[in-house]
Amino acid sequence: MEQRLNFGEWLPDQPGLVGALQDAKNVIPQTVGYGPFPLMVDYSAAASENLTAVFTGEFGATSNIFAGGNSKLFKFDSTDLSMDNVSKAGGYTGTKPWKFTQFGKVVIAANGAEKLQAWTLGSSTAFADLAAAAPIASYVTVVRDFVVCANISSYPNRVQWSDINDETDWTSGGASQSDYQDIPDGGDIVGITGGEFGVILLDQAIVRMSYIGAPLFFQFDTISRQLGCYESGSIAQYGPLTFFLSDDGFYMCDGQTIKPIGAEKIDRWFFDDLDPANVGKMSAAIDPVRKVVAWSYPNTRAGQSILIYNWQVQKWTYADTTANYIASMATAAVTLEGLDLYSASIDALGTSLDSRTWLGGKFVFSGLQGAKIVTFTGQPATANIETGDFVAGQNSVVKLARPQVDNGSASVAVASRDRLDDSITFGTSTAADSDNRVSLRSFGKYHRLRVIPSGNWTTIVGVDVDTTQAGRR
């Protein structure tokens, strides 16, 4: 008997017998099947200290990449790949990761320990205090025509905003629309996203911030009570959508409603895999090319993993990484001479010359590894797809597999068992031959296949399996 096993959703929270994938590692979810997850490659030279955040400011033809460590702010130099120290005099003393936003030509940074820092694109040579009255805040964004910051100094439940179209005016009064609002319930503010409206994420509440004009300027409406944000580093924004991790799993908020996206799919698996003692090292980012949101987190195996969600097709995957932070970053233009700094040979470049990485001003999925900026633009990482259990009669023998891989091939291993409480043990992985056939021989009632794509593959769709009925003595 021949049957095709199409690779549907990865649902580790569900039993294998429902047919859902039990593993989808180092792949990207697509409408049909899965695509390769690229390895990371170095983008910058090492800064003088480990980095905790990266951001790109753009205005006209100017595109500057900034990164922050605990004591310094850096600017990427595309001529020699160095990370130049552009901190204000004396440096910084914060321990929280920097948060960045852009207001007009001004890049603004917050770290919860210093006054908001500012860099004017095209003219600044170092960061400086945004204004004498600028607050000390942990989070910063832009809502409509206002710079908005949250978790202010000794007021962790406070939101404060600048005057309209003036990021330097933070003095409340009749001549200014600058003001602040304390949110009385919900605990501390752990993050904020902006746009036409603001979404304020607290420990135990989600609040919408809407501009209404004088005399109150902003209205604050509680979208959710009790359900809040578990970790600041889990917050990512794409257009009007805010993604975040709550106490019980992952959610998506459009400013009006909150929708669970991981329930009965990956939430239990994630909390089992997460190292809770180091959840503060979590980060989140949008991959604008592949239309996915990703969360990097420390796992229980003393490593780092990336959980990946395609919100358009509502499918999940994950990847292993050594990056300690992920981000969506616009690149700086690199000349042909500059390519020599990445590699002495074009053939040895980790990133294809066709990649938008080299164009400048184009957003790519990126991150940090220690003191370096990295981009996820390398060759495909070693992927692993594991099917759920399939049955071909009371007892059967798996004889042959034909992996369905666009522009590539695969190796296949099989695990068979008689009972669902038997251990799952895969046999040796065998590469497909020139006719795309993998010879197998495995007896049991329940079977699983492990498929590892190879070559310069683009999409893995499924696997065709040949089985025969078998008796039992």
Side-chain angles (χ1 to χ4, degrees):
M1 183 176 69
E2 179 180 336
Q3 58 180 310
R4 171 162 293 183
L5 304 178
N6 290 315
F7 293 154
E9 282 193 73
W10 174 55
L11 300 175
D13 285 359
Q14 298 302 313
L17 197 59
V18 303
L21 294 185
Q22 296 302 293
D23 198 20
K25 176 182 172 183
N26 290 338
V27 291
I28 298 288
Q30 299 178 170
T31 301
V32 177
Y34 295 85
F37 181 82
L39 292 168
M40 68 178 190
V41 295
D42 289 347
Y43 186 75
S44 76
S48 58
E49 65 181 20
N50 284 343
L51 304 173
T52 61
V54 62
F55 177 82
T56 303
E58 293 185 280
F59 192 87
T62 301
S63 179
N64 293 155
I65 299 173
F66 302 97
N70 285 342
S71 66
K72 298 173 185 175
L73 285 168
F74 299 90
K75 177 176 171 288
F76 173 71
D77 187 336
S78 60
T79 61
D80 62 5
L81 313 186
S82 65
M83 299 297 294
D84 299 333
N85 182 4
V86 290
S87 308
K88 73 173 184 179
Y92 308 102
T93 58
T95 57
K96 292 183 178 180
W98 288 91
K99 303 296 182 182
F100 292 89
T101 193
Q102 183 174 337
F103 189 74
K105 295 177 64 175
V106 181
V107 172
I108 303 171
N111 72 344
E114 318 285 342
K115 288 185 178 181
L116 294 178
Q117 295 295 289
W119 175 286
T120 302
L121 294 169
S123 61
S124 289
T125 57
F127 275 91
D129 291 350
L130 177 63
I136 298 172
S138 295
Y139 313 107
V140 63
T141 190
V142 173
V143 178
R144 296 279 297 261
D145 302 313
F146 301 83
V147 177
V148 180
C149 52
N151 196 318
I152 311 298
S153 191
S154 57
Y155 300 93
N157 64 334
R158 177 170 291 182
V159 178
Q160 186 171 350
W161 57 92
S162 70
D163 191 11
I164 187 169
N165 286 318
D166 188 351
E167 74 280 3
T168 64
D169 186 350
W170 294 86
T171 303
S172 304
S176 171
Q177 294 193 36
S178 175
D179 209 343
Y180 67 87
Q181 173 72 42
D182 292 333
I183 300 177
D185 58 346
D188 293 354
I189 297 173
V190 297
I192 184 170
T193 59
E196 185 67 17
F197 54 86
V199 174
I200 304 162
L201 299 101
L202 299 95
D203 287 326
Q204 299 179 51
I206 308 294
V207 176
R208 176 187 169 110
M209 177 184 184
S210 306
Y211 182 69
I212 57 173
L216 300 178
F217 307 125
F218 281 97
Q219 175 177 305
F220 294 82
D221 300 299
T222 300
I223 302 172
S224 169
R225 296 186 187 278
Q226 301 306 315
L227 189 151
C229 181
Y230 181 68
E231 167 55 39
S232 169
S234 73
I235 301 169
Q237 182 180 9
Y238 185 78
L241 301 177
T242 296
F243 302 89
F244 65 96
L245 175 68
S246 189
D247 290 304
D248 62 346
F250 289 93
Y251 287 82
M252 178 175 69
C253 177
D254 62 4
Q256 299 288 345
T257 59
I258 298 173
K259 174 185 176 182
I261 58 176
E264 294 303 308
K265 292 188 174 185
I266 54 85
D267 283 342
R268 292 193 296 273
W269 178 91
F270 168 77
F271 281 114
D272 287 342
D273 199 48
L274 171 70
D275 176 8
N278 289 298
V279 68
K281 297 178 181 179
M282 195 172 186
S283 58
I286 302 294
D287 183 340
V289 178
R290 299 172 183 86
K291 298 295 190 298
V292 299
V293 56
W295 292 269
S296 175
Y297 64 93
N299 58 44
T300 55
R301 304 177 301 281
Q304 198 81 4
S305 294
I306 299 177
L307 191 60
I308 304 164
Y309 178 64
N310 184 322
W311 65 88
Q312 294 180 326
V313 301
Q314 300 176 31
K315 290 168 63 175
W316 293 85
T317 59
Y318 76 105
D320 286 339
T321 186
T322 55
N324 53 279
Y325 179 89
I326 58 174
S328 180
M329 179 193 77
T331 57
V334 177
T335 63
L336 288 176
E337 291 76 14
L339 289 175
D340 291 338
L341 300 173
Y342 287 98
S343 173
S345 167
I346 289 180
D347 293 334
L349 275 175
T351 301
S352 168
L353 285 176
D354 295 329
S355 171
R356 60 172 60 195
T357 303
W358 312 117
L359 298 178
K362 304 300 181 183
F363 278 87
V364 297
F365 186 44
S366 61
L368 303 170
Q369 184 183 38
K372 292 183 177 182
I373 299 173
V374 297
T375 60
F376 291 88
T377 54
Q379 297 300 306
T382 300
N384 191 86
I385 299 286
E386 185 179 317
T387 70
D389 295 297
F390 65 94
V391 177
Q394 182 63 28
N395 296 291
S396 58
V397 177
V398 176
K399 298 177 61 180
L400 189 70
R402 289 179 293 278
Q404 304 302 308
V405 185
D406 276 349
N407 202 42
S409 187
S411 299
V412 180
V414 61
S416 301
R417 51 186 174 157
D418 293 330
R419 296 163 49 93
L420 290 176
D421 59 353
D422 290 341
S423 62
I424 300 171
T425 303
F426 282 92
T428 302
S429 182
T430 304
D433 62 20
S434 58
D435 293 323
N436 195 38
R437 296 158 58 93
V438 180
S439 295
L440 303 165
R441 187 167 184 83
S442 184
F443 174 86
K445 181 177 181 180
Y446 304 98
H447 310 282
R448 293 185 181 189
L449 295 179
R450 176 179 290 162
V451 184
I452 302 173
S454 58
N456 192 26
W457 66 282
T458 56
T459 303
I460 184 166
V461 175
V463 59
D464 293 341
V465 186
D466 287 357
T467 59
T468 59
Q469 294 294 303
R472 184 182 294 274
R473 295 180 180 177

